Amino acid sequence: MWPAVLALIVKELLAILKDPRSRIVLIGPPLLQLVVFGYGATFDLNHVPVAVYDEDPSAASRDLIARFLGSPAFEVVARLHDAADVDRLIDSREATLVIDVDRRFTRDLLGHRPARVQLIVDGRNSNTALLVLGYSNQIVTDFSRDWLAAHGGGAAPAVLDLRANYNPPLNSQWFIVPGIVALLTQVVTLLVVGLSVAREREAGTFDQLLVTPMGPLEILLGKGLPGVLIGLLEATVIILAAVLWFRVPLRGPLLPLYLGLFLFVAAVTGIGLMISSLAVTQQQALLGAFLFMVPSITLSGFATPIANMPRFIQAATQVNPMRHFLVIVRGVFLEGSTTAELLPQYWPLALVAAGSMLVAGWLFRRRTA
Amino acid sequence: MPITPEDRPALELSRVTRRFRAAGRTVAAVDALSARIERGTVTGLVGPDGAGKTTLMRLCTGLLLPDEGRVELFGIDVARRPEDVRARIAYMPQRFGLYEDLSVLENLELYARLQGVPAIQHAARFEELLHMTGLGPFLGRLAGRLSGGMKQKLGLACTLVQVPEMLFLDEPTVGVDPVSRRELWAIVDALVRTSGVTVLLSTSYLDEAERCASVLLMHEGRLLESADPASLTAPMTGRCFRASAPGMDTRRLHALLARSPGIMDATIQGGHVRLVTRAAGTPPPSRIPEARNLAVEPVAPRLEDAFVARLLEQAASPEPPPTPASTPTPASTATAREPAADVVISADRLTRRFGDFTAVDAVSFEVRRGEIFGLLGANGAGKSTTFRMLCGLLPPTAGALRVAGFDLRRAAGAARGRIGYMAQRFSLYGDLSPRQNLTFFSSAYRLRGARQQERIGWALREFGLQPMADAASRDLPLGYKQRLALACALMHEPDILFLDEPTSGVDPLARREFWRRIHALAGHGVTVLVTTHFMEEAEYCDRLIILSQGGIIAAGDSERLKALARSAQLPNPTMEDAFIAVLEGAAGARAA
Amino acid sequence: MSAAGVRLTALLRKEALQIMRDPSALAIAFALPAFLLFIFGYGVTLDAKEVPLGVVVERPSADTAAFEGKLRQSPYFETTEYRDFAAAERALEAHEINGIVWLREDFSRRMRSSRGATIGAILNGVDANSARIVEGYLQQAWAAWLADAARPGGPGAALPVAVAPRIRFNPEVRSRDYLIPGLIALVMTLTGALLTALVIAREWERGTQEALMVTRATLREILLAKLLPYFVLGLGGMAASVILAVTLFRVPFHGSAWALLVTSSLFLLAALGMGLLISTAARNQFVAGQIAIIATFLPAFILSGFVFDIGSMPAPIRAVTHVVAARYFVTILQTLFLAGDLWSVLLPNALALALMAALFLGVARLRARKRLD
């Protein structure tokens, strides 16, 4: 059995590498997505346009505003002199944040009354709005503490000392780039495996394959293993890019990462084989892959946390291989997770892999026998 | 004589060249081709697949622009004023240009409106077209649900919603059974008679070209001949004969005659061997020591003879076509030569149902070792279904099926190890080289080690594939693709070979070479099963069955089938005549 | 009716019949948008709620109880108490909690000292965005606690500066309200570009395009007959999505219907232009589908401001977003839904869409030929 399977694997790899269309699928989109996701998919705040409406030009207000100017997250684009301009700038999106320093700011500060600073934020992107508020609060708090220290007003009874484990700079690239390993490995493996049978059906070679003495199991193996190989290779390339180019720390050992990767690729291959055994044309296979991929990526925790989803959707994500692999890849990269710690992720992946392969085998037998 | 517009030919091509880039090379699909087509005639554009027929059609209809040269329709330059030309022509592309999710009537209405047929005339015109094509009862059916023959007729009706001055039909008869083919010709002939339309029709079937008033014979982008069929075949007069030797194996007779001096071409036709001599002066051998009662009688020349003569002339100067060796496969020889009665394929009340539709209904037949067995039938007769069941691609619903001694229901895998399969259009992995294709298929058939290397070496040598062993198979010429496909099917020296329309669209020389190999294989005990629409291929079979509506309606050798069609008006029926007579007989019996 | 009118209506009728009979067209135009809307509507939210938070209180007192109370009152946290820090740390590592608030043994004592106490807060920083948002929530709780503490009789002084945030347009900061309008742009990209590219590629594949070209139908009629039905289909999909968004997901809609109609028409024209352009390059459905996904769907997803803020992207990527039509439409939709008819936003973005539509359609028209090459 194995020599025939091996021949099929070699043939499959040759066909994929020699066909310009599949070469494009393997190289073009992954590279493009790596760049676009790696740099474009960021939740960090950079040069947020800020307008300043300082109703109390004074040393104190200048000091406060200078702190915003000094932050890389903000960029002061306008100084206002009229209250009517505040909403206009927000509405037209010229500024995302307007800092309105109260008329009695210095007087209140000196008089130990709460000095008011109003922050007007554009809520159209609620995530940005929340982050802007968080950053601004931090800056204002720092100002307050320094002012108290300098003016002997007595310290606050307690201050927050915030630290983040694993990702002290809270760099969202560290979160997204390991996610791309999962994302692109899934896309490429699914397309390679999902289209492989449909391609042969369209070319008419599938019948030719079926009349050989190779059994359904051998054909399934010969179709699935190239996907596993290509998936592992693709993942390795992106892991290297993550470490060498994006400089994401890789804290854990490779063994738990590759164990998870193997199970993940096997599960995706199983799903690809299911698509393959159902699709008659490459277009159908492409649509099938798309229909699987969109929910699988959306509900994986790639960009938005699973914990925020409704309970029933959280439960449904358990069968999503990408969800589990994302925990593994981020765990190994950032938290240095070990094999034992990742066991709760391994077994669902193994189950999905086994289950999907069995279903694919059954579908395959039914369609070919 | 002054040329008035009326005297101008309908179509005039002057040194038309069109090149394409493929696999890094520039290939001239149409190469400095000049021709003219007179008004009111049916002209056949004839040549094997890849000769450049479709490109030429598209150049004539303005769908492609020539790189060099001019195409003039009714004196109008097509490249400059395509819209003026299109108002006067109609064109049916390959696959008929139908919207499959529109009904028959909706397709007709669409094309009528697009061609500017006034709404008031629709009813009358559709009536006419539906009567002509016999599609009346199927008005509401979606075009995608029609059979191949009906699609072809609907495609024709849609192109004829308005009677054009010139009609272009691109391979209208490909993949269509002989009955539908004949009906199409009847429509075209009637059209020319009644409306004086000029028709250009492309085909790879040479026998169809004989129905045309004139023929453009194309090969590799160039025009070989342009004349009426009679003057094309004229030089062949007195050179064509039919030989038979009662009591002698036809294949053996063929082998003997093919080697005789003075013979240009010898082909098997049922129980006869058709001979073409090198020159009109030299008669065929009337006496061969091995064949005692050899009978030779002259027959009428065919267009194919002229084409073969032209191709041989051309091929004479460069390398000669690789002659297949006498022993294509060393295997099975031990058991061969026994005109044994051992049955290799047996189907007993074979049935296949799809839902409540019975595609194959209790079909029984047997095929003996070393036989070449043909499976014929109209579109939708159950031919492909039967064929797929025989190769184990489709499980039967009922009935028993034994292939190579194995029950296909129980030991399909074992049976598959003993059969070779060559799909229509020679499905191979186009991105892989011939060597990689051979390696893959030999491994799939469980060959390995030295044995595998030996077989790959044999295939490359035997089929003349060495020079291109490492090129991409996709870029091979059609004839070589066909050889490679056959080589792949023979890697494991199968007992049975399944062929699906193996040589349609292939040039006559390649076809002859292919069948010489098949006959040699059969001579060594390999059983061959062929399914085809192509009557020329049917002639090569020892025995045939004709299927209609899922059942066998005729069986026997080609002579016997032809005898069924023999009548006073038709003393020498062709295989196509026989096929149609049998189908009509069956339809009559059903009606009665 | 003129001959041209007859031809155009015949083509339109054909297209309508095909759309009606082809389940995949309806699937892409209606089922896929609905499916995406549900997936995104329910599955994608950036709002952290009930974040599991460990609270380590080494020595309980009234002061620690007051701080804990603030955390418990917050809808954003779900607190678990730990007696010692090590246990909490283990829970953090096991992903049972997302952060730890650590009130040390000397909390009450140091609160009353001149240097003040320190509240330790350790978050799991792997998901940086969530961590930042949790940080913000913690600061809010802390500020609320400070304000209480500063009341007369309280143990401490308040911070000298009081921040009064005012969030315009989405005061509840629901991420769904900004994601769903963006999603509609994504969905319309699918109908406009992907579906159009696929159906034209299908005509090429089946050879019907070749048959059309030799009829008297002009190129303009053939192109118009492709644009109009998918334009209507796209608007239908848009209307359905908007209704679903407003009724099911309760996204507010402050703009006017006609502004929505005009701007979506412009966007659809640009998307259809893209679809036409793709179909001039790819004549089989497989390639057309791939190009459409890479050239229209992915950019509309990532580079449009749909999820990720364009302003925060690096300059080269920001430059690229200017050629993504969805970028302008996402801005328009977010404004129409959450803010209303703000002409200072709508006009420039609509102008950009109009320019892109004119460009794509113009190039598609120029590149289209009644020929095969």
Side-chain angles (χ1 to χ4, degrees):
Chain A
M1 155 176 183
W2 290 106
V5 173
L6 190 68
L8 189 52
I9 294 172
V10 170
K11 182 234 97 182
E12 205 69 24
L13 290 175
L14 278 174
I16 290 166
L17 296 178
K18 282 186 164 189
D19 176 17
R21 272 204 227 162
S22 2
R23 267 204 310 256
I24 289 170
V25 174
L26 287 189
I27 298 166
L31 259 178
L32 200 78
Q33 290 173 48
L34 187 63
V35 172
V36 168
F37 275 110
Y39 288 108
T42 172
F43 283 122
D44 301 340
L45 289 189
N46 293 307
H47 23 80
V48 171
V50 176
V52 176
Y53 180 35
D54 190 352
E55 298 182 67
D56 175 40
S58 62
S61 73
R62 265 195 300 279
D63 179 23
L64 178 65
I65 288 156
R67 288 167 189 261
F68 279 91
L69 278 171
S71 159
F74 297 111
E75 197 175 304
V76 175
V77 293
R79 290 187 182 267
L80 309 180
H81 303 286
D82 186 350
D85 287 340
V86 173
D87 283 0
R88 189 181 58 77
L89 248 75
I90 295 278
D91 291 359
S92 66
R93 292 206 158 196
E94 284 167 64
T96 304
L97 168 70
V98 177
I99 305 166
D100 181 353
V101 181
D102 194 66
R103 223 158 2 98
R104 294 177 310 179
F105 183 72
T106 315
R107 249 183 297 160
D108 285 342
L109 266 181
L110 293 169
H112 298 285
R113 287 180 299 271
R116 286 168 50 84
V117 171
Q118 197 177 28
L119 300 175
I120 302 103
V121 189
D122 182 355
R124 272 170 281 192
N125 183 328
S126 66
N127 193 57
T128 306
L130 278 181
L131 292 179
V132 163
L133 277 182
Y135 277 67
S136 309
N137 268 324
Q138 191 85 52
I139 291 174
V140 175
T141 307
D142 286 351
F143 169 84
S144 294
R145 285 167 57 184
D146 291 349
W147 201 89
L148 279 178
H151 294 79
V159 291
L160 265 179
D161 172 30
L162 283 162
R163 272 188 300 125
N165 275 359
Y166 314 126
N167 185 0
L170 285 183
N171 182 347
S172 70
Q173 213 173 44
W174 287 14
F175 176 66
I176 295 285
V177 170
I180 298 176
V181 176
L183 180 76
L184 292 189
T185 306
Q186 163 155 316
V187 171
V188 168
T189 310
L190 201 63
L191 285 181
V192 165
V193 180
L195 296 180
S196 70
V197 175
R199 190 184 320 120
E200 292 217 25
R201 284 215 174 102
E202 274 182 9
T205 48
F206 199 57
D207 282 352
Q208 201 91 42
L209 200 60
L210 289 179
V211 295
T212 68
M214 293 181 90
L217 181 67
E218 286 168 284
I219 295 180
L220 217 55
L221 276 173
K223 288 274 164 198
L225 287 176
V228 174
L229 280 177
I230 288 176
L232 290 175
L233 195 73
E234 186 92 26
T236 305
V237 170
I238 304 164
I239 289 170
L240 283 175
V243 173
L244 299 176
W245 181 258
F246 289 101
R247 304 262 165 213
V248 181
L250 176 58
R251 300 198 173 107
L254 288 176
L255 179 73
L257 181 59
Y258 272 85
L259 178 61
L261 183 61
F262 177 76
L263 290 173
F264 173 60
V265 171
V268 175
T269 299
I271 290 160
L273 286 173
M274 276 164 65
I275 294 173
S276 232
S277 49
L278 289 174
V280 179
T281 63
Q282 293 196 68
Q283 198 226 336
Q284 281 179 5
L286 195 67
L287 205 67
F290 187 76
L291 278 182
F292 168 76
M293 229 138 35
V294 169
S296 143
I297 293 170
T298 317
L299 304 179
S300 67
F302 169 70
T304 57
I306 291 188
N308 297 354
M309 297 170 191
R311 294 249 180 266
F312 72 98
I313 292 199
Q314 289 196 33
T317 60
Q318 288 296 340
V319 296
N320 182 2
M322 187 164 159
R323 175 224 159 111
H324 298 290
F325 183 59
L326 275 175
V327 175
I328 295 172
V329 71
R330 285 175 179 148
V332 174
F333 258 93
L334 301 176
E335 302 174 37
S337 304
T338 60
T339 312
E341 282 167 341
L342 292 171
L343 269 181
Q345 266 65 49
Y346 290 141
W347 68 261
L349 275 182
L351 271 186
V352 173
S356 58
M357 298 237 185
L358 281 178
V359 174
W362 179 76
L363 283 173
F364 205 69
R365 247 172 230 282
R366 248 172 48 111
R367 304 265 311 196
T368 57
Chain B
M1 196 173 74
I3 295 174
T4 65
E6 273 64 48
D7 291 334
R8 300 198 66 136
L11 175 70
E12 192 162 16
L13 301 157
S14 8
R15 298 200 57 76
V16 177
T17 300
R18 170 71 204 205
R19 299 183 195 90
F20 289 102
R21 286 192 63 78
R25 292 172 296 136
T26 306
V27 183
V30 172
D31 193 0
L33 190 143
S34 301
R36 47 189 285 155
I37 289 173
E38 300 305 330
R39 295 183 184 214
T41 59
V42 179
T43 303
L45 179 60
V46 187
D49 289 356
K53 302 190 297 290
T54 298
T55 306
L56 190 67
M57 283 278 182
R58 289 174 171 172
L59 287 166
C60 292
T61 49
L63 287 170
L64 288 174
L65 294 183
D67 293 325
E68 285 155 34
R70 263 163 84 88
V71 183
E72 283 189 7
L73 259 160
F74 308 109
I76 307 169
D77 186 340
V78 176
R80 285 226 205 98
R81 292 159 58 198
E83 293 310 317
D84 294 344
V85 168
R86 281 176 191 155
R88 304 170 70 172
I89 63 166
Y91 166 58
M92 178 165 91
Q94 267 176 48
R95 290 177 295 155
F96 324 127
L98 294 173
Y99 287 95
E100 307 231 316
D101 30 21
L102 261 55
S103 70
V104 169
L105 183 63
E106 285 159 354
N107 267 296
L108 280 173
E109 280 175 344
L110 170 68
Y111 282 102
R113 292 197 176 120
L114 290 182
Q115 292 294 24
V117 179
I120 198 152
Q121 293 171 18
H122 282 193
R125 185 65 192 147
F126 292 172
E127 178 76 14
E128 227 172 301
L129 289 167
L130 292 170
H131 176 75
M132 183 172 89
T133 53
L135 285 169
F138 309 105
L139 266 189
R141 194 179 286 190
L142 295 187
R145 299 269 180 86
L146 296 175
S147 74
M150 278 151 86
K151 275 186 197 163
Q152 166 220 42
K153 273 174 268 179
L154 177 58
L156 188 64
C158 286
T159 41
L160 292 178
V161 284
Q162 183 161 54
V163 179
E165 288 177 61
M166 182 155 186
L167 176 63
F168 292 89
L169 302 173
D170 193 7
E171 303 236 21
T173 55
V174 82
V176 163
D177 65 63
V179 180
S180 303
R181 260 196 324 253
R182 193 164 276 199
E183 285 165 356
L184 177 99
W185 273 100
I187 297 172
V188 170
D189 286 339
L191 198 69
V192 173
R193 244 192 345 268
T194 55
S195 331
V197 176
T198 314
V199 180
L200 181 65
L201 175 151
S202 73
T203 178
S204 58
Y205 299 121
L206 286 160
D207 54 341
E208 282 195 332
E210 292 180 29
R211 300 174 196 256
C212 303
S214 73
V215 167
L216 301 176
L217 198 57
M218 261 186 105
H219 188 63
E220 292 172 347
R222 279 193 291 273
L223 190 65
L224 288 187
E225 298 281 0
S226 165
D228 59 295
S231 53
L232 281 176
T233 50
M236 307 311 292
T237 321
R239 290 168 64 182
C240 303
F241 301 91
R242 196 166 76 152
S244 58
M248 189 182 186
D249 182 33
T250 316
R251 281 185 221 139
R252 186 157 159 66
L253 177 66
H254 171 252
L256 288 170
L257 288 169
R259 265 184 269 131
S260 310
I263 297 294
M264 180 192 83
D265 183 34
T267 48
I268 291 179
Q269 281 208 318
H272 304 275
V273 176
R274 197 168 189 286
L275 298 171
V276 181
T277 58
R278 287 197 191 282
T282 49
S286 53
R287 177 172 297 267
I288 299 182
E290 291 93 330
R292 232 162 286 139
N293 37 11
L294 177 72
V296 177
E297 52 180 300
V299 288
R302 297 177 314 174
L303 194 59
E304 179 163 324
D305 302 323
F307 191 24
V308 169
R310 270 306 300 257
L311 289 178
L312 282 176
E313 241 170 66
Q314 241 184 4
S317 31
E319 34 130 18
T323 33
S326 46
T327 53
T329 174
S332 319
T333 34
T335 53
R337 275 310 2 128
E338 203 87 19
D342 47 344
V343 171
V344 183
I345 301 175
S346 87
D348 183 22
R349 303 194 57 74
L350 190 61
T351 302
R352 173 72 208 197
R353 278 186 285 272
F354 295 101
D356 50 6
F357 169 68
T358 307
V360 175
D361 191 6
V363 164
S364 307
F365 60 88
E366 289 185 337
V367 184
R368 289 184 294 276
R369 181 179 303 282
E371 222 177 357
I372 302 181
F373 188 82
L375 209 56
L376 269 60
N379 293 106
K383 184 169 49 96
S384 313
T385 310
T386 310
F387 189 73
R388 290 177 69 79
M389 284 193 282
L390 290 174
C391 356
L393 286 172
L394 197 68
T397 315
L401 185 56
R402 291 185 75 79
V403 171
F406 297 100
D407 183 346
L408 265 194
R409 295 183 148 211
R410 278 193 219 104
R416 283 202 293 258
R418 300 312 319 148
I419 66 175
Y421 172 84
M422 190 176 139
Q424 208 179 358
R425 315 306 323 161
F426 336 126
S427 327
L428 291 160
Y429 298 105
D431 294 308
L432 270 58
S433 69
R435 191 191 301 280
Q436 286 162 340
N437 267 299
L438 290 169
T439 308
F440 170 65
F441 280 107
S442 54
S443 303
Y445 282 106
R446 315 235 188 272
L447 298 184
R448 67 191 65 154
R451 177 93 189 101
Q452 183 178 21
Q453 288 315 311
E454 182 201 316
R455 288 300 288 167
I456 294 170
W458 165 83
L460 290 175
R461 259 190 335 273
E462 183 64 33
F463 289 88
L465 292 166
Q466 274 141 328
M468 60 261 311
D470 298 304
S473 303
R474 184 189 303 296
D475 304 328
L476 295 185
L478 192 68
Y480 282 90
K481 278 188 196 159
Q482 186 197 39
R483 283 190 209 170
L484 176 58
L486 182 60
C488 288
L490 289 178
M491 289 310 282
H492 58 303
E493 300 159 62
D495 295 332
I496 308 174
L497 191 57
F498 287 92
L499 305 172
D500 187 358
E501 209 152 299
T503 53
S504 96
V506 175
D507 79 62
L509 289 187
R511 188 167 73 236
R512 279 162 175 67
E513 179 207 316
F514 179 85
W515 280 101
R516 270 201 293 274
R517 287 180 203 278
I518 297 299
H519 281 133
L521 285 168
H524 286 92
V526 176
T527 310
V528 181
L529 200 127
V530 187
T531 167
T532 187
H533 272 322
F534 186 27
M535 292 303 123
E536 188 65 28
E537 285 181 343
E539 296 274 19
Y540 290 104
C541 298
D542 296 328
R543 218 149 55 81
L544 299 156
I545 55 174
I546 298 180
L547 291 171
S548 172
Q549 304 205 338
I552 298 177
I553 53 167
D557 61 27
S558 68
E559 288 310 307
R560 204 180 91 73
L561 294 175
K562 280 189 222 170
L564 294 175
R566 190 163 293 137
S567 64
Q569 302 98 311
L570 212 61
N572 264 322
T574 60
M575 196 59 220
E576 185 174 312
D577 296 323
F579 182 88
I580 288 165
V582 166
L583 278 187
E584 279 168 356
R590 259 195 300 274
Chain C
M1 207 175 350
S2 69
V6 171
R7 290 195 297 262
L8 185 60
T9 45
L11 285 170
L12 288 174
R13 185 162 163 264
K14 171 218 100 186
E15 208 69 46
L17 285 173
Q18 279 194 299
I19 292 173
M20 240 97 87
R21 287 176 194 165
D22 176 13
S24 72
L26 290 178
I28 295 184
F30 292 104
L32 195 62
F35 174 70
L36 288 175
L37 216 59
F38 277 101
I39 291 277
F40 279 77
Y42 284 117
V44 174
T45 160
L46 291 160
D47 314 335
K49 273 207 178 102
E50 297 169 20
V51 177
L53 194 67
V55 183
V56 181
V57 184
E58 291 183 348
R59 178 181 292 174
S61 69
D63 301 313
T64 61
F67 190 80
E68 257 195 284
K70 283 290 167 222
L71 292 179
R72 243 189 249 118
Q73 275 165 26
S74 161
Y76 304 118
F77 299 117
E78 195 172 276
T79 56
T80 315
E81 253 185 64
Y82 292 89
R83 280 287 148 213
D84 65 305
F85 185 70
E89 215 173 14
R90 276 196 300 278
L92 185 69
E93 272 167 25
H95 298 185
E96 284 162 26
I97 50 176
N98 279 9
I100 304 172
V101 171
W102 186 11
L103 302 175
R104 288 192 186 78
E105 191 193 26
D106 55 359
F107 181 74
S108 291
R109 186 169 54 79
R110 290 189 50 172
M111 245 180 83
R112 286 168 177 79
S113 77
S114 61
R115 283 173 45 237
T118 306
I119 302 166
I122 299 107
L123 300 175
N124 182 334
V126 170
D127 180 352
N129 187 55
S130 298
R132 280 238 168 76
I133 289 173
V134 172
E135 265 188 19
Y137 293 153
L138 272 178
Q139 279 183 341
Q140 275 179 28
W142 171 67
W145 174 77
L146 267 189
D148 280 358
R151 269 197 214 121
L159 284 179
V161 181
V163 173
R166 178 160 72 89
I167 297 176
R168 258 180 92 70
F169 310 132
N170 186 0
E172 293 163 57
V173 257
R174 290 210 312 167
S175 65
R176 192 184 272 174
D177 291 1
Y178 96 88
L179 288 171
I180 286 183
L183 181 62
I184 293 172
L186 196 69
V187 160
M188 285 172 73
T189 307
L190 276 182
T191 329
L194 179 70
L195 190 55
T196 314
L198 282 182
V199 292
I200 299 181
R202 184 179 60 191
E203 294 233 16
W204 281 112
E205 264 181 12
R206 297 200 183 156
T208 46
Q209 190 75 2
E210 205 178 329
L212 277 190
M213 284 183 164
V214 287
T215 65
R216 290 177 202 197
T218 63
L219 199 53
R220 198 170 40 166
E221 288 155 13
I222 295 177
L223 290 180
L224 260 182
K226 277 283 175 240
L227 284 183
L228 283 175
Y230 293 96
F231 182 78
V232 173
L233 209 59
L235 280 187
M238 186 274 294
S241 309
V242 169
I243 289 168
L244 218 62
V246 172
T247 56
L248 190 66
F249 296 110
R250 309 247 163 248
V251 181
F253 184 79
H254 293 298
S256 60
W258 74 270
L260 178 67
L261 185 71
V262 170
T263 50
S264 5
S265 301
L266 286 175
F267 174 69
L268 256 182
L269 286 178
L272 287 167
M274 292 272 280
L276 282 184
L277 264 185
I278 291 170
S279 71
T280 56
R283 285 179 184 177
N284 82 53
Q285 298 191 64
F286 179 68
V287 178
Q290 293 233 324
I291 298 182
I293 286 176
I294 292 169
T296 66
F297 185 75
L298 269 183
F301 195 174
I302 300 155
L303 301 178
S304 65
F306 160 47
V307 183
F308 303 105
D309 201 55
I310 293 177
S312 297
M313 296 175 188
I317 302 249
R318 244 183 308 153
V320 172
T321 62
H322 286 282
V323 297
V324 178
R327 173 210 161 120
Y328 305 104
F329 194 48
V330 166
T331 303
I332 289 177
L333 282 175
Q334 286 178 353
T335 301
L336 277 180
F337 268 89
L338 296 171
D341 293 352
L342 298 180
W343 295 107
S344 56
V345 177
L346 299 189
L347 279 181
N349 284 295
L351 190 69
L353 283 181
L355 276 176
M356 293 189 92
L359 181 76
F360 289 144
L361 288 174
V363 174
R365 176 68 186 78
L366 282 179
R367 289 204 51 187
R369 294 262 182 287
K370 265 188 96 178
R371 280 208 306 273
L372 295 174
D373 45 356

